[in-house]
């Protein structure tokens, strides 16, 4: 589930408020958005890749919050990890042309 | 003439949003996007309403979907024959062929429009895969450029009709808590399948709303017994993506291997999970393949990376998640080649529609479903635009009535102790367990149905929802209704075929090469019907 909105990384663009398909965030004037409906989160990681400053962290556990802290996420280098793996950058798509899935599909199982 | 987007802008501060369009598309996944593009190219003025955000919502956006990309010719005939042997004999080769053909055109169009496919070894774009987040971001831009008005976070709650003809829909703008209404000459339901409350990728919006709205309008559902598709995920995660598991071994608590050779993919895992915990390890691939898996399916590795596990050498606990009709089959029955539903003015596309004629009794995951979304979206969008041009008349003058009942307008007195969350919990408890749904039998089906019936009566009679709360109450009603249709059909199909695995009736019975159609809300009727081709347009 979504666990962290990093106030120090966030530029208050409210993109996550718009793009989260489960409507989890609420905007706050002149501040980072808040996680208002965490239990609705579908653990899809979409907000992470749309955030232009890698300020969001979604823990892979879909059943409930794990309580991980921002400092732990920062120390582990997890912020923006999924974006980098895809080739997305500053919240913008990229990298689909390098997707090697064609070789997976033709590999013997 | 003011454009639809100008009308939306002009009403920005009004207490309600009221629009008039030619075609209203309900949904925000690939089927909705293709339907919107097709309707616009017929000259229609189109509004898309999505419960979430067109670009991130639905089952495709967070995934990486293979497409069914089969060139015309002998290869295509062979592919149709190959699938026909697997699908329980329920698919119709002409429908498979026309789906492959339309998707083939759509995928070529995507390449032409500039979607960044990877190249294959001969330097040509490899069209057999679409990376979900990129594909849906691309479709959003394309739909916006076509002039379509997209209303994100505007779930549809109910259809509108005028003397039995569908004339639009109404719902709520959930970020501004204000009602919306769109009167339209035709409506395309592209609201996806039903995930029955499972926590899988994309499931949040997939609650069967479209089935409920269609049934209230008098449409028929078909193939709802084929709602027992499951996928393996690392325990407690949402990552219901099958690809890396093709190279997994599975182990019991005592370290013994679960034998998966020559069997339906997850059946032995399901059996083992009924006896105790199961661990997986991606230990069947080569280092080269493992590298491609990591690079090509990066979200599959988030749970492992974030837990500090190397899934190629270390075991991780797994579970099976139910995917209902999302990678299952059932949905709204289409009565003609143009994706019409038999209710005038109402069309269905993508997972909202039954895919029986194309996938038969087996999953359409891994290619058929995404190609079906492209093909059916195009057919439905085109037909809806033509219908609206022909029959729509002056929509602004039409007197429409709202059709929503359960979860919106209780039949009896509203009771605060009847809550949406409880109804959803009943669905989760009864529908998702492996020994209720992956493996079915008459006793548990009947027991669960009794609970669903009870929940339905409560919801129908006493569950009220207004404002943004109505989204949840309506979802609860749709989930309960969908569960009843699914298990009632599962009971009627007294045999095992494809993903319907009846442990009490394990044989496939030749007399059941047929479809089961479901109608009704209070009294559910399941009718056995011939698998019938439709009349070509
Ligand atoms: C993990 C995963 C992997 C998959 N991989 C493959 C694959 O490799 N190959 C393949 O062919 N298929 C695959 N599938 C299936 C494929 O993703 C679906 O078939 C496809 O997304 C269907 O498209 P759709 O547009 O019909 O529905 P969806 O993409 O699910 O979209 C449904 C839309 O309807 C909206 N909606 C729902 N209710 C309402 C309402 N009341 N009002 C307004 N909007 C509403 C939702 O917000 C959503 O935008 C996969 C599915 C999953 C879950
Ligand atoms: S998308 Fe990122 S930067 Fe923008 S408001 Fe959300 S957290 Fe802040
Ligand atoms: S993971 Fe998905 S559902 Fe959860 S907050 Fe992010 S975008 Fe929303």
């Amino acid at each position: 589930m979504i666990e962290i909105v990093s106030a120090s990384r966030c530029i208050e663009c409210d993109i996550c408020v718009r793009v989260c398909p489960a409507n989890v965030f609420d905007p706050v004037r002149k501040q980072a958005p808040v996680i208002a409906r965490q239990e609705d989160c579908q653990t899809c990681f979409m907000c992470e890749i749309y955030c232009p400053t890698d300020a969001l962290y979604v823990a892979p556990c879909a059943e409930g919050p794990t309580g991980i802290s921002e400092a732990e996420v920062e120390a582990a280098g997890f912020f923006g990890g999924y974006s980098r793996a895809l080739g997305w950058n500053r919240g913008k798509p990229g990298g689909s042309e390098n997707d090697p899935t064609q070789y997976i599909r033709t590999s013997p199982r | 003439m003011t454009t639809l987007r100008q009308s939306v802008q002009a009403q920005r501060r009004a207490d309600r949003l009221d629009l008039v369009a030619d075609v209203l598309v309900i949904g925000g996944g690939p089927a909705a996007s293709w339907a919107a593009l097709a309707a616009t190219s017929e000259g229609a003025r189109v509004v898309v309403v999505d419960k979430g955000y067109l670009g991130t919502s639905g089952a495709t956006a967070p995934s990486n979907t293979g497409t069914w990309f089969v060139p015309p010719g002998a290869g295509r005939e062979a592919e149709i024959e190959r699938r026909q042997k697997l699908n329980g004999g329920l698919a119709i080769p002409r429908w498979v062929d026309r789906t492959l053909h339309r998707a083939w055109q759509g995928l070529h169009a995507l390449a032409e429009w500039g979607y960044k496919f990877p190249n294959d070894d001969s330097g040509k774009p490899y069209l057999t895969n679409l990376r979900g987040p990129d594909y849906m971001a691309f479709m959003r831009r394309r739909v916006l450029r076509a002039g379509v008005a997209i209303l994100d976070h505007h779930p549809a709650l109910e259809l509108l009709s005028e003397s039995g003809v569908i004339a639009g829909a109404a719902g709520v703008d959930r970020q501004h808590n204000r009602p919306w209404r769109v009167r339209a000459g035709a409506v395309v339901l592209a609201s996806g399948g039903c995930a029955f409350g499972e926590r899988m990728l994309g499931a949040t919006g997939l609650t069967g709303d479209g089935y409920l709205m269609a049934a209230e309008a008098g449409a028929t559902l078909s193939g709802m017994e084929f709602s027992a598709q499951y996928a393996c995920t690392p325990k407690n995660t949402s990552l219901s993506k099958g690809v890396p598991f093709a190279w997994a071994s599975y182990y019991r608590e005592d370290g013994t291997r679960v034998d998966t050779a020559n069997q339906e993919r997850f059946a032995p895992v399901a059996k083992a999970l009924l006896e105790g915990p199961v661990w997986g390890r991606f230990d069947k691939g080569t280092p080269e393949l493992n590298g491609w898996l990591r690079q090509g399916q990066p979200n599959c590795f988030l749970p492992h990376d974030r837990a500090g596990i190397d899934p190629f050498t270390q075991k991780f606990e797994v579970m099976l998640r139910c995917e209902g009709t999302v990678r299952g089959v059932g949905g709204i029955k289409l009565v003609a080649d143009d994706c019409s539903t038999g209710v005038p003015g109402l069309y269905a596309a993508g997972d909202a529609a039954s895919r029986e004629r194309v996938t038969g009794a087996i999953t359409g995951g891994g290619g058929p479903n995404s190609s079906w979304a492209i093909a059916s979206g195009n057919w439905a969008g085109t037909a809806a635009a033509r219908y609206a041009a022909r029959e729509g008349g002056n929509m602004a003058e039409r007197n429409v009535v709202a059709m929503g009942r359960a979860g919106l307008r209780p039949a009896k007195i509203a009771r605060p102790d009847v809550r949406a969350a409880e109804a959803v919990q009943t669905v989760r408890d009864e529908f998702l367990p492996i020994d209720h749904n992956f493996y079915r039998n008459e006793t548990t089906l009947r027991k669960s149905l009794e609970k669903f019936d009870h929940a339905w009566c409560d919801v129908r009679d006493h569950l009220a929802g207004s404002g943004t709360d109505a989204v949840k109450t309506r979802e609860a009603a749709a989930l309960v209704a969908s569960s009843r249709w699914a298990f009632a059909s599962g009971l009627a199909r007294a045999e095992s075929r494809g993903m319907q695995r009846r442990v009490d009736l394990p044989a496939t019975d030749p007399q059941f090469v047929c479809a089961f159609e479901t109608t009704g809300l209070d009294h559910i009727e399941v009718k056995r019907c011939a698998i019938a081709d439709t009349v070509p347009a």
Side-chain angles (χ1 to χ4, degrees):
Chain A
M1 285 185 161
I2 177 73
E3 302 227 17
I4 289 159
V5 181
S6 162
S8 57
R9 287 170 168 262
C10 176
I11 53 165
E12 295 149 28
C13 66
D14 289 348
I15 287 175
C16 53
V17 179
R18 276 200 288 137
V19 304
C20 167
N23 195 31
V24 159
F25 304 98
D26 273 344
V28 182
R29 250 177 81 86
K30 295 191 178 159
Q31 278 181 39
V34 291
I35 301 167
R37 288 164 293 276
Q38 190 175 32
E39 68 286 359
D40 288 350
C41 172
Q42 62 165 351
T43 318
C44 65
F45 306 94
M46 288 291 110
C47 52
E48 276 195 21
I49 63 173
Y50 272 86
C51 173
T53 61
D54 298 335
L56 296 166
Y57 180 75
V58 179
C61 179
E63 302 292 337
T66 62
I68 190 168
S69 72
E70 180 171 349
E72 287 170 277
V73 175
E74 195 72 72
F78 289 156
F79 279 119
Y82 181 34
S83 282
R84 285 192 294 277
L86 283 171
W88 281 45
N89 191 11
R90 294 171 198 267
K92 296 261 161 57
S96 61
E97 67 276 25
N98 303 320
D99 183 349
T101 297
Q102 54 180 308
Y103 304 113
I104 303 174
R105 293 203 193 281
T106 49
S107 293
R109 340 197 136 185
Chain B
M1 200 159 78
T2 50
T3 67
L4 279 163
R5 279 197 223 145
Q6 285 165 337
S7 308
V8 174
Q9 194 60 17
Q11 297 180 52
R12 208 171 63 245
R13 296 194 192 289
D15 319 331
R16 55 168 52 240
L17 176 67
D18 196 355
L19 298 174
V20 174
D22 298 317
V23 172
L24 171 66
V25 179
I26 298 177
S33 313
W34 285 99
L37 289 178
T40 341
S41 61
E42 292 288 317
R45 303 195 326 147
V46 181
V47 177
V48 176
V49 290
D50 185 10
K51 188 189 280 188
Y53 173 89
L54 195 163
T56 63
S57 62
T60 289
S63 311
N64 193 351
T65 55
T67 65
W68 209 12
F69 182 75
V70 188
R76 184 177 290 174
E77 281 157 36
E79 169 66 3
I80 295 173
E81 239 172 71
R82 184 188 72 85
R83 286 278 304 189
Q84 205 64 12
K85 289 201 188 95
L86 303 172
N87 67 32
L90 301 190
I92 296 175
R94 189 182 68 86
W95 271 78
V96 180
D97 183 56
R98 66 193 291 263
T99 301
L100 286 170
H101 187 67
R102 190 65 193 81
W104 162 266
Q105 293 173 325
L107 288 161
H108 280 289
L110 270 177
E112 206 174 288
W113 297 337
Y115 173 76
K116 290 205 176 90
F117 285 101
N119 283 341
D120 63 18
D121 290 338
S122 67
K124 284 210 294 285
Y126 177 81
L127 308 182
T128 312
N129 197 70
L130 287 162
R131 210 167 70 167
D134 305 76
Y135 170 35
M136 290 314 300
F138 184 88
M139 290 307 282
R140 181 180 183 90
R141 287 200 298 279
R142 191 85 201 166
V143 168
L144 282 173
R145 271 190 212 148
V148 171
I150 300 177
L151 303 174
D152 303 303
H153 299 291
H154 279 57
L157 297 174
E158 56 183 331
L159 294 173
L160 304 172
S161 82
E162 188 196 42
S163 347
V165 177
I166 297 306
V172 62
D173 169 352
R174 66 178 178 183
Q175 293 196 325
H176 301 99
N177 193 7
R178 66 168 187 166
W180 61 262
R181 175 175 87 154
V182 178
R183 282 169 294 168
V187 173
V188 178
L189 279 170
S191 43
C194 184
F196 297 93
E198 182 62 282
R199 295 193 173 93
M200 53 169 263
L201 277 184
T204 182
L206 306 178
T207 45
D209 305 4
Y211 302 161
L212 178 59
M213 288 189 267
E216 284 172 337
T220 299
L221 300 164
S222 186
M224 287 301 285
E225 70 275 28
F226 302 123
S227 42
Q229 187 62 26
Y230 280 67
C232 204
T233 74
K235 193 170 180 207
N236 292 341
T237 75
S238 61
L239 272 309
S240 48
K241 296 216 310 185
V243 176
F245 284 98
W247 288 275
S249 306
Y250 303 91
Y251 303 88
R252 295 184 193 83
E253 185 118 64
D254 60 6
T256 56
R257 247 176 130 110
V258 179
D259 179 17
T260 51
N262 308 319
Q263 297 186 57
E264 191 202 347
R265 198 161 170 209
F266 293 131
V269 179
K271 280 213 180 83
L273 277 166
L274 287 173
E275 286 153 19
V278 175
W279 277 266
R281 186 167 63 193
F282 302 142
D283 53 16
K284 291 184 172 168
T286 60
E288 191 179 37
L289 170 87
N290 295 349
W292 293 327
L293 283 173
R294 252 192 184 287
Q295 196 192 334
Q297 310 284 320
N299 56 355
C300 295
F301 293 90
L302 294 177
H304 309 300
D305 292 347
R306 292 178 181 188
I309 283 176
D310 175 4
F312 300 112
T313 58
Q314 287 171 284
K315 293 177 190 167
F316 50 91
E317 202 174 341
V318 297
M319 66 192 290
L320 288 179
R321 289 230 188 249
C322 172
E323 303 188 306
T325 59
V326 177
R327 272 196 279 198
V329 176
I332 301 161
K333 184 192 171 187
L334 304 178
V335 302
D337 277 16
D338 63 359
C339 294
S340 53
T341 62
V343 178
L346 188 64
Y347 298 79
D351 288 357
S354 173
R355 284 138 285 163
E356 235 168 350
R357 293 193 187 101
V358 176
T359 67
I362 60 169
T363 178
N369 277 355
S370 65
S371 288
W372 168 250
I374 296 173
S376 61
N378 272 291
W379 294 324
T382 305
R386 290 182 186 164
Y387 179 90
R390 209 167 59 232
E391 314 276 345
N394 187 352
M395 286 310 304
E397 278 170 17
R398 283 167 75 168
N399 278 321
V400 296
V401 293
M403 305 185 84
R405 293 291 171 266
L408 285 178
R409 300 181 185 86
K412 297 180 186 160
I413 189 154
R415 272 176 29 201
D417 61 314
V418 174
R419 283 192 295 265
E422 265 157 49
V424 175
Q425 197 53 48
T426 302
V427 169
R428 289 178 49 83
D429 291 345
E430 295 301 317
F431 202 92
L432 304 181
I434 291 172
D435 53 357
H436 283 203
N437 188 23
F438 190 101
Y439 290 117
R440 295 172 171 178
N441 70 70
E442 183 174 345
T443 316
T444 52
L445 284 172
R446 280 196 196 284
K447 262 198 210 145
S448 298
L449 270 170
E450 239 171 69
K451 293 188 185 158
F452 295 147
D453 288 347
H454 197 80
W456 175 255
C457 290
D458 272 353
V459 166
R460 176 198 61 197
D461 291 345
H462 307 296
L463 184 64
S466 61
T468 53
D469 287 347
V471 182
K472 295 270 185 214
T473 55
R474 197 60 171 152
E475 285 178 351
L479 284 167
V480 175
S482 302
S483 307
R484 293 174 77 219
W485 291 315
F487 275 10
S489 311
L491 204 52
R493 183 177 284 283
E495 62 151 1
S496 293
R497 186 181 298 267
M499 75 178 72
Q500 149 114 332
R501 307 166 199 87
R502 285 278 299 262
V503 286
D504 52 339
L505 296 161
T508 299
D509 185 339
Q511 66 159 323
F512 285 121
V513 184
C514 62
F516 284 92
E517 297 186 357
T518 325
T519 47
L521 288 155
D522 292 329
H523 176 70
I524 291 178
E525 205 173 312
V526 185
K527 220 171 75 195
R528 195 177 146 165
C529 304
I531 297 276
D533 198 354
T534 50
V535 186

